Amino acid sequence: MVEQPVSTPLALTNDGTLEIVFLGTGTAFARRLFQTNLLIIKGEEHILVDFGMTGPQALQSLGLSAMDIRTILPTHSHSDHIGGLEYLTLVNRYFARPSGKDKLNMIITDEYRPLLWEMSLRGGLEYNEQNAEGRRLSFEDLYTTHVPQPITVEPRSIFSIMMNGIKLELFHTNHIPGEADSPKDAFITYGLLIDDRVFFSGDTKFDRDLIDMYADRAEIMFHDASMTPNQVHAWIDDLRGIPEDIRAKMFLVHYQDELTDDAATDFAGLAKQGVRYLFP
Ligand SMILES: [Zn+2]
C-alpha cells in the first residue's frame, strides 16, 4: 500500500488502482474530525461508503460536493453513517439530475432496504413539491438500486456484488445492541471486504471471529477502535490481544478527537483524513 496526500479537488477517477480515501475518521460525536465515511475509487467508478451529518463539509474539504457523488453504500442506520443521506438525495434530485446527471445509485441488500426507507429516509423524502398532485415518492423514484446477493448465512450473513470493476463483500457485524452476542442477534450493520484486498470493519464490537475470518485475505484492515471500554465498539485493549502480524496491517479508525499516533503504536497506525491509500 502506498500513502499519498490528497490534492484538491480529489479526483473521483484514476488509472484503475484501488484507492481508499476517508472523508473522516472520527466517531459519531467527533467535533474536530469528520465522521467515519469513506470513498472507494477505481478506474471510472467511485463508491461512497456512508454519509453522516458531517458528510457535506467533509466533501468540501476534499474540493468536492454532493453533486459529484454517483454511488452510495450505507452500512447501517446511525446518524454518523446516514445523517447526510437525505441531503445527498435532495441534491441529486433537485440539482444533479436537472443538470443531466443520473439518479443516485444505491448499493443495498434486500433485507436492509425496507428498514432504511421505512424507519429513516421516508419521513423526509416521500412527501415533496408534487404532493398537491397526489404523488408521493418511492425508494425507486430516488435511487437506482444495486443489490448485493447473499452468498452464505453461516457463520454469519455475507453478501457480494461487483460494481463496475469493484468487488464488494458485505458481512454482518455485531454492533448494537450491547447485549447481542453475535451478528445474528444484532441490528443490521455491515462491514466490507473491498476487492478481496482491504477489510473495513464498519461499526462493530470486538469480534475475534470476524478478524480471524478475514485476516488472511486482507492486505490491510481498517478497524473500528474505542480508547475506552465500549458496549458497541471495539476496545483498543481487546484489539491489542490479537496476533502481532495482524496488528501490523491494522489501521484504527472511528476514533475519538483527542487520539494521537502514540495510541496506535501497537498497530499499523491511525487511518487519517486527507490521505489517499493506494493499492497498486
Ligand atoms: Zn453505528
Side-chain angles (χ1 to χ4, degrees), residues 28-194:
F29 306 105
R31 298 201 295 183
R32 186 178 63 79
L33 296 167
F34 295 122
Q35 294 161 344
T36 296
N37 306 159
L38 60 122
L39 273 162
I40 304 166
I41 302 163
K42 188 183 179 191
E44 295 298 308
E45 188 62 77
H46 69 262
I47 298 167
L48 176 59
V49 178
D50 291 332
F51 197 62
M53 299 111 71
T54 62
Q57 291 81 2
L59 279 182
Q60 197 171 33
S61 78
L62 297 171
L64 300 171
S65 85
M67 284 281 281
D68 301 310
I69 300 302
R70 255 193 348 233
T71 303
I72 174 83
L73 187 168
T75 62
H76 67 292
S77 295
H78 280 151
S79 62
D80 51 328
H81 299 268
I82 63 157
L85 203 43
E86 182 178 318
Y87 169 88
L88 185 68
T89 305
L90 293 176
V91 167
N92 176 260
R93 178 165 146 76
Y94 289 118
F95 300 100
R97 283 162 71 182
S99 75
K101 296 191 178 185
D102 290 335
K103 205 193 290 187
L104 201 57
N105 293 301
M106 187 182 293
I107 301 172
I108 189 161
T109 60
D110 283 336
E111 62 171 8
Y112 181 39
R113 188 173 56 247
L115 290 180
L116 180 67
W117 178 247
E118 297 294 339
M119 298 177 78
S120 295
L121 296 180
R122 188 178 151 193
L125 292 171
E126 179 182 69
Y127 290 99
N128 62 88
E129 77 288 349
Q130 298 178 354
N131 284 139
E133 302 160 31
R135 196 173 117 62
R136 299 177 187 180
L137 292 176
S138 66
F139 191 92
E140 291 70 27
D141 289 320
L142 298 164
Y143 311 103
T144 300
T145 311
H146 302 265
V147 184
Q149 296 301 314
I151 53 176
T152 185
V153 292
E154 294 294 341
R156 72 183 68 218
S157 291
I158 299 176
F159 303 81
S160 175
I161 188 168
M162 180 66 96
M163 201 58 198
N164 294 332
I166 301 176
K167 185 181 175 196
L168 297 175
E169 192 167 305
L170 292 78
F171 48 82
H172 275 186
T173 70
N174 180 5
H175 176 36
I176 55 166
E179 294 78 24
D181 291 326
S182 81
K184 291 183 194 305
D185 309 322
F187 186 77
I188 291 177
T189 307
Y190 300 103
L192 296 171
L193 184 69
I194 303 162

Side-chain angles (χ1 to χ4, degrees), residues 204-206 223-228 230 232-236 239:
T204 183
K205 297 167 200 160
F206 177 70
H223 204 293
D224 173 321
S226 170
M227 293 310 110
T228 50
N230 188 308
V232 298
H233 293 285
W235 182 28
I236 191 169
L239 291 169

